[in-house]
Amino acid sequence: MQTERQIQIIESSIELIATKGIQGFTIKNLSKAIGISEPAIYRHFENKAEILVSILNNFKEMGEMMSMMVVNNNDTAIEKIEFMFSKMIEIFTEQPAFVSVIFSEEIFKNEEILINKIVEILNLHQANIEKIIEIGQKEKNIRTDIDKSSLALIFMGSLRLLVKRWELNNQNFNLKTEGEKLINSFKLMV
């Protein structure tokens, strides 16, 4: 369980990354943004990597909670995937700074702990989507001529590209609207 101060540090870190980029995410800049000393930050987190791991863990926990809700309900596989993707788009729309962290894995390549955390999150999402697709294929409401791993990869990659394009274009289009179009295209494909 995180303390109030740790939550404040994490939230300020996300905002700092969103505004200044990962390169601008320094303990010095973070302390200025929060209005506390650098040593005060180090009392709560050992280093920047630990803060980033906490951000990624929070995102992973959100994904796990969403997956539990989705996998155990009685909706069709397509409805479950639609719900998951809609929720993810909603999270990114409400907290665009998450995009800067979650989809910046190439920046983390020199930090093994961060790469491992990103891989863990990606694997979790892929496994959950594959599980839903497999159920849909058994129930004959998702095509079976494409394997579940390929379909999951198509879904995840398309969503990532859409969200990243939205971020890089300074959020100049409605992500929810474009996300709905993407989800409707998935429905036609599967």
Side-chain angles (χ1 to χ4, degrees):
M1 179 117 169
Q2 295 169 332
T3 66
E4 279 185 48
R5 180 63 83 184
Q6 286 174 318
I7 292 169
Q8 180 190 24
I9 291 168
I10 289 168
E11 288 174 353
S12 295
S13 296
I14 292 169
E15 289 306 317
L16 186 60
I17 292 166
T19 57
K20 294 189 180 247
I22 198 81
Q23 299 82 2
F25 175 52
T26 64
I27 297 299
K28 184 176 186 172
N29 287 343
L30 182 58
S31 72
K32 284 180 188 175
I34 298 174
I36 61 174
S37 68
E38 291 177 47
I41 292 173
Y42 286 116
R43 282 195 287 277
H44 298 281
F45 292 97
E46 192 174 309
N47 53 36
K48 272 190 344 182
E50 189 175 344
I51 296 170
L52 291 168
V53 166
S54 293
I55 293 169
L56 294 172
N57 278 334
N58 288 351
F59 190 76
K60 180 183 171 208
E61 287 173 17
M62 281 191 283
E64 287 172 336
M65 287 190 313
M66 189 178 5
S67 293
M68 284 192 311
M69 287 173 25
V70 169
V71 170
N72 296 322
N73 72 26
N74 292 326
D75 291 342
T76 67
I78 305 246
E79 291 168 335
K80 290 177 183 185
I81 292 170
E82 181 177 12
F83 175 80
M84 283 180 70
F85 279 49
S86 296
K87 277 297 182 192
M88 290 176 80
I89 287 171
E90 186 179 309
I91 289 167
F92 291 137
T93 302
E94 291 172 3
Q95 296 188 16
F98 268 138
V99 177
S100 299
V101 177
I102 302 303
F103 296 142
S104 294
E105 63 270 4
E106 64 277 356
I107 295 169
F108 301 150
K109 65 182 168 195
N110 296 326
E111 291 281 347
E112 189 172 339
I113 190 167
L114 296 175
I115 286 293
N116 290 340
K117 187 55 65 178
I118 291 283
V119 168
E120 186 180 329
I121 292 168
L122 289 173
N123 289 343
L124 171 73
H125 286 296
Q126 178 147 359
N128 288 331
I129 293 169
E130 284 180 10
K131 188 185 311 178
I132 293 168
I133 291 169
E134 184 176 27
I135 291 167
Q137 288 174 329
K138 286 179 182 172
E139 293 173 350
K140 304 285 189 225
N141 55 27
I142 290 186
R143 63 190 300 169
T144 56
D145 59 333
I146 302 175
D147 67 281
K148 64 183 178 184
S149 297
S150 295
L151 283 174
L153 189 61
I154 291 167
F155 292 166
M156 291 173 62
S158 299
L159 178 67
R160 178 197 160 86
L161 181 60
L162 175 66
V163 171
K164 195 63 179 171
R165 196 183 83 207
W166 174 73
E167 179 199 32
L168 293 173
N169 282 291
N170 297 316
Q171 305 162 11
N172 69 354
F173 61 87
N174 188 313
L175 183 59
K176 285 185 179 182
T177 301
E178 293 302 310
E180 286 173 15
K181 288 181 191 175
L182 183 62
I183 290 166
N184 288 332
S185 296
F186 289 158
K187 289 179 185 179
L188 292 173
M189 283 178 21
V190 299

Short mmCIF file of all heavy atoms in Angstrom, two decimals, residues 69-71 73-87 132-133 136 139 141-142 155 183 186-187 190:
data_model
loop_
_atom_site.label_atom_id
_atom_site.label_comp_id
_atom_site.label_asym_id
_atom_site.label_seq_id
_atom_site.Cartn_x
_atom_site.Cartn_y
_atom_site.Cartn_z
N MET A 69 -12.90 -8.50 -14.08
CA MET A 69 -14.28 -8.12 -14.34
C MET A 69 -14.76 -8.69 -15.67
O MET A 69 -15.87 -9.20 -15.77
CB MET A 69 -14.42 -6.59 -14.40
CG MET A 69 -14.32 -5.91 -13.07
SD MET A 69 -14.28 -4.08 -13.16
CE MET A 69 -15.09 -3.67 -14.67
N VAL A 70 -13.90 -8.64 -16.67
CA VAL A 70 -14.30 -9.03 -18.02
C VAL A 70 -14.35 -10.53 -18.18
O VAL A 70 -15.33 -11.07 -18.69
CB VAL A 70 -13.31 -8.41 -19.05
CG1 VAL A 70 -13.51 -8.99 -20.41
CG2 VAL A 70 -13.48 -6.91 -19.08
N VAL A 71 -13.32 -11.22 -17.78
CA VAL A 71 -13.22 -12.66 -18.03
C VAL A 71 -14.35 -13.42 -17.33
O VAL A 71 -14.87 -14.40 -17.86
CB VAL A 71 -11.83 -13.20 -17.59
CG1 VAL A 71 -11.78 -14.71 -17.61
CG2 VAL A 71 -10.75 -12.62 -18.49
N ASN A 73 -17.46 -12.33 -16.60
CA ASN A 73 -18.85 -11.98 -16.85
C ASN A 73 -19.41 -12.85 -17.99
O ASN A 73 -18.69 -13.62 -18.60
CB ASN A 73 -19.03 -10.48 -17.10
CG ASN A 73 -18.48 -10.02 -18.44
OD1 ASN A 73 -18.39 -10.78 -19.39
ND2 ASN A 73 -18.12 -8.75 -18.51
N ASN A 74 -20.68 -12.71 -18.25
CA ASN A 74 -21.36 -13.58 -19.22
C ASN A 74 -21.49 -12.98 -20.61
O ASN A 74 -22.20 -13.52 -21.46
CB ASN A 74 -22.75 -13.96 -18.70
CG ASN A 74 -22.66 -14.86 -17.48
OD1 ASN A 74 -21.76 -15.68 -17.38
ND2 ASN A 74 -23.58 -14.68 -16.54
N ASP A 75 -20.81 -11.87 -20.89
CA ASP A 75 -20.87 -11.26 -22.21
C ASP A 75 -20.20 -12.17 -23.24
O ASP A 75 -19.43 -13.07 -22.89
CB ASP A 75 -20.14 -9.91 -22.21
CG ASP A 75 -20.87 -8.84 -21.41
OD1 ASP A 75 -22.07 -9.01 -21.13
OD2 ASP A 75 -20.22 -7.84 -21.05
N THR A 76 -20.45 -11.89 -24.50
CA THR A 76 -19.75 -12.62 -25.56
C THR A 76 -18.29 -12.18 -25.57
O THR A 76 -17.94 -11.12 -25.01
CB THR A 76 -20.37 -12.34 -26.94
OG1 THR A 76 -20.13 -10.98 -27.27
CG2 THR A 76 -21.85 -12.67 -26.97
N ALA A 77 -17.47 -12.94 -26.24
CA ALA A 77 -16.04 -12.60 -26.34
C ALA A 77 -15.86 -11.23 -26.98
O ALA A 77 -15.03 -10.43 -26.52
CB ALA A 77 -15.31 -13.68 -27.12
N ILE A 78 -16.62 -10.95 -28.01
CA ILE A 78 -16.50 -9.65 -28.69
C ILE A 78 -16.89 -8.52 -27.74
O ILE A 78 -16.22 -7.48 -27.71
CB ILE A 78 -17.41 -9.62 -29.96
CG1 ILE A 78 -17.07 -10.78 -30.85
CG2 ILE A 78 -17.39 -8.26 -30.60
CD1 ILE A 78 -16.48 -10.52 -32.17
N GLU A 79 -17.94 -8.70 -26.96
CA GLU A 79 -18.35 -7.68 -26.00
C GLU A 79 -17.27 -7.48 -24.93
O GLU A 79 -17.03 -6.35 -24.49
CB GLU A 79 -19.68 -8.06 -25.35
CG GLU A 79 -20.85 -7.99 -26.30
CD GLU A 79 -22.12 -8.63 -25.76
OE1 GLU A 79 -22.04 -9.54 -24.90
OE2 GLU A 79 -23.21 -8.23 -26.22
N LYS A 80 -16.63 -8.56 -24.53
CA LYS A 80 -15.56 -8.46 -23.53
C LYS A 80 -14.38 -7.67 -24.07
O LYS A 80 -13.84 -6.80 -23.39
CB LYS A 80 -15.10 -9.86 -23.10
CG LYS A 80 -16.12 -10.61 -22.28
CD LYS A 80 -15.62 -12.01 -21.95
CE LYS A 80 -16.69 -12.78 -21.19
NZ LYS A 80 -16.22 -14.09 -20.75
N ILE A 81 -13.98 -7.97 -25.29
CA ILE A 81 -12.86 -7.25 -25.90
C ILE A 81 -13.23 -5.78 -26.10
O ILE A 81 -12.44 -4.88 -25.82
CB ILE A 81 -12.44 -7.92 -27.23
CG1 ILE A 81 -11.82 -9.29 -26.95
CG2 ILE A 81 -11.47 -7.03 -28.01
CD1 ILE A 81 -11.60 -10.14 -28.17
N GLU A 82 -14.45 -5.55 -26.55
CA GLU A 82 -14.93 -4.17 -26.74
C GLU A 82 -14.88 -3.41 -25.42
O GLU A 82 -14.42 -2.26 -25.36
CB GLU A 82 -16.36 -4.19 -27.30
CG GLU A 82 -16.92 -2.82 -27.55
CD GLU A 82 -18.32 -2.88 -28.18
OE1 GLU A 82 -18.94 -3.96 -28.22
OE2 GLU A 82 -18.78 -1.82 -28.64
N PHE A 83 -15.32 -4.03 -24.34
CA PHE A 83 -15.30 -3.39 -23.03
C PHE A 83 -13.86 -3.07 -22.60
O PHE A 83 -13.58 -1.95 -22.15
CB PHE A 83 -15.97 -4.29 -21.98
CG PHE A 83 -15.88 -3.74 -20.59
CD1 PHE A 83 -16.76 -2.75 -20.17
CD2 PHE A 83 -14.91 -4.20 -19.70
CE1 PHE A 83 -16.68 -2.23 -18.88
CE2 PHE A 83 -14.82 -3.68 -18.42
CZ PHE A 83 -15.70 -2.69 -18.00
N MET A 84 -12.96 -4.04 -22.76
CA MET A 84 -11.57 -3.82 -22.36
C MET A 84 -10.94 -2.66 -23.12
O MET A 84 -10.31 -1.78 -22.53
CB MET A 84 -10.73 -5.09 -22.58
CG MET A 84 -10.93 -6.15 -21.53
SD MET A 84 -9.92 -7.61 -21.85
CE MET A 84 -8.29 -6.99 -21.51
N PHE A 85 -11.11 -2.66 -24.43
CA PHE A 85 -10.51 -1.62 -25.25
C PHE A 85 -11.14 -0.27 -24.97
O PHE A 85 -10.45 0.74 -24.90
CB PHE A 85 -10.59 -1.99 -26.72
CG PHE A 85 -9.52 -2.96 -27.14
CD1 PHE A 85 -9.26 -4.10 -26.41
CD2 PHE A 85 -8.75 -2.72 -28.24
CE1 PHE A 85 -8.25 -4.98 -26.77
CE2 PHE A 85 -7.74 -3.60 -28.62
CZ PHE A 85 -7.51 -4.74 -27.89
N SER A 86 -12.45 -0.24 -24.78
CA SER A 86 -13.13 1.02 -24.46
C SER A 86 -12.62 1.58 -23.14
O SER A 86 -12.40 2.79 -23.01
CB SER A 86 -14.64 0.81 -24.38
OG SER A 86 -15.15 0.44 -25.63
N LYS A 87 -12.43 0.71 -22.16
CA LYS A 87 -11.93 1.15 -20.85
C LYS A 87 -10.50 1.68 -20.96
O LYS A 87 -10.16 2.69 -20.34
CB LYS A 87 -11.98 0.01 -19.83
CG LYS A 87 -13.31 -0.16 -19.19
CD LYS A 87 -13.66 1.07 -18.41
CE LYS A 87 -14.97 0.96 -17.71
NZ LYS A 87 -15.44 2.24 -17.19
N ILE A 132 -9.84 -14.65 -23.87
CA ILE A 132 -11.18 -14.23 -24.33
C ILE A 132 -11.41 -14.70 -25.76
O ILE A 132 -12.48 -15.22 -26.08
CB ILE A 132 -11.32 -12.70 -24.22
CG1 ILE A 132 -11.31 -12.27 -22.75
CG2 ILE A 132 -12.59 -12.22 -24.91
CD1 ILE A 132 -11.15 -10.77 -22.54
N ILE A 133 -10.42 -14.55 -26.62
CA ILE A 133 -10.54 -14.99 -28.01
C ILE A 133 -10.76 -16.49 -28.08
O ILE A 133 -11.62 -16.98 -28.83
CB ILE A 133 -9.30 -14.57 -28.83
CG1 ILE A 133 -9.28 -13.05 -29.01
CG2 ILE A 133 -9.27 -15.28 -30.19
CD1 ILE A 133 -7.98 -12.51 -29.57
N GLY A 136 -14.23 -17.27 -27.27
CA GLY A 136 -15.07 -16.88 -28.40
C GLY A 136 -14.96 -17.84 -29.56
O GLY A 136 -15.94 -18.13 -30.25
N GLU A 139 -16.94 -20.89 -28.73
CA GLU A 139 -18.38 -20.60 -28.79
C GLU A 139 -18.82 -20.25 -30.22
O GLU A 139 -19.98 -19.94 -30.44
CB GLU A 139 -18.73 -19.45 -27.84
CG GLU A 139 -18.54 -19.82 -26.38
CD GLU A 139 -18.73 -18.63 -25.44
OE1 GLU A 139 -18.82 -17.48 -25.91
OE2 GLU A 139 -18.77 -18.89 -24.22
N ASN A 141 -18.21 -17.59 -31.99
CA ASN A 141 -18.55 -16.20 -32.31
C ASN A 141 -17.30 -15.36 -32.60
O ASN A 141 -17.39 -14.15 -32.74
CB ASN A 141 -19.45 -15.55 -31.24
CG ASN A 141 -18.86 -15.62 -29.84
OD1 ASN A 141 -17.66 -15.70 -29.66
ND2 ASN A 141 -19.73 -15.60 -28.85
N ILE A 142 -16.15 -16.04 -32.72
CA ILE A 142 -14.93 -15.43 -33.24
C ILE A 142 -14.34 -16.42 -34.23
O ILE A 142 -14.28 -17.62 -33.96
CB ILE A 142 -13.91 -15.11 -32.12
CG1 ILE A 142 -14.43 -13.95 -31.26
CG2 ILE A 142 -12.55 -14.76 -32.71
CD1 ILE A 142 -13.46 -13.46 -30.21
N PHE A 155 -5.09 -6.84 -32.38
CA PHE A 155 -5.88 -5.95 -31.52
C PHE A 155 -4.96 -5.01 -30.74
O PHE A 155 -5.14 -3.79 -30.73
CB PHE A 155 -6.73 -6.74 -30.54
CG PHE A 155 -7.85 -7.53 -31.16
CD1 PHE A 155 -8.49 -8.50 -30.43
CD2 PHE A 155 -8.26 -7.31 -32.46
CE1 PHE A 155 -9.53 -9.24 -30.97
CE2 PHE A 155 -9.30 -8.04 -33.03
CZ PHE A 155 -9.94 -9.01 -32.27
N ILE A 183 -12.77 -0.43 -32.83
CA ILE A 183 -13.48 -1.57 -32.22
C ILE A 183 -14.51 -2.12 -33.20
O ILE A 183 -14.64 -3.35 -33.35
CB ILE A 183 -14.15 -1.15 -30.88
CG1 ILE A 183 -13.05 -0.89 -29.83
CG2 ILE A 183 -15.11 -2.21 -30.40
CD1 ILE A 183 -13.53 -0.15 -28.59
N PHE A 186 -12.75 -4.20 -35.68
CA PHE A 186 -12.41 -5.50 -35.10
C PHE A 186 -13.60 -6.46 -35.18
O PHE A 186 -13.45 -7.62 -35.51
CB PHE A 186 -12.02 -5.38 -33.62
CG PHE A 186 -10.70 -4.72 -33.36
CD1 PHE A 186 -10.45 -4.14 -32.12
CD2 PHE A 186 -9.69 -4.68 -34.32
CE1 PHE A 186 -9.23 -3.53 -31.86
CE2 PHE A 186 -8.48 -4.08 -34.06
CZ PHE A 186 -8.25 -3.51 -32.83
N LYS A 187 -14.78 -5.93 -34.84
CA LYS A 187 -15.98 -6.77 -34.88
C LYS A 187 -16.19 -7.35 -36.27
O LYS A 187 -16.57 -8.51 -36.42
CB LYS A 187 -17.21 -5.95 -34.47
CG LYS A 187 -17.25 -5.60 -33.01
CD LYS A 187 -18.51 -4.77 -32.78
CE LYS A 187 -18.63 -4.27 -31.39
NZ LYS A 187 -19.83 -3.45 -31.19
N VAL A 190 -13.49 -10.16 -37.00
CA VAL A 190 -13.52 -11.43 -36.28
C VAL A 190 -14.85 -12.12 -36.41
O VAL A 190 -15.00 -13.27 -36.11
CB VAL A 190 -13.15 -11.28 -34.79
CG1 VAL A 190 -11.74 -10.75 -34.68
CG2 VAL A 190 -14.11 -10.42 -34.03
#
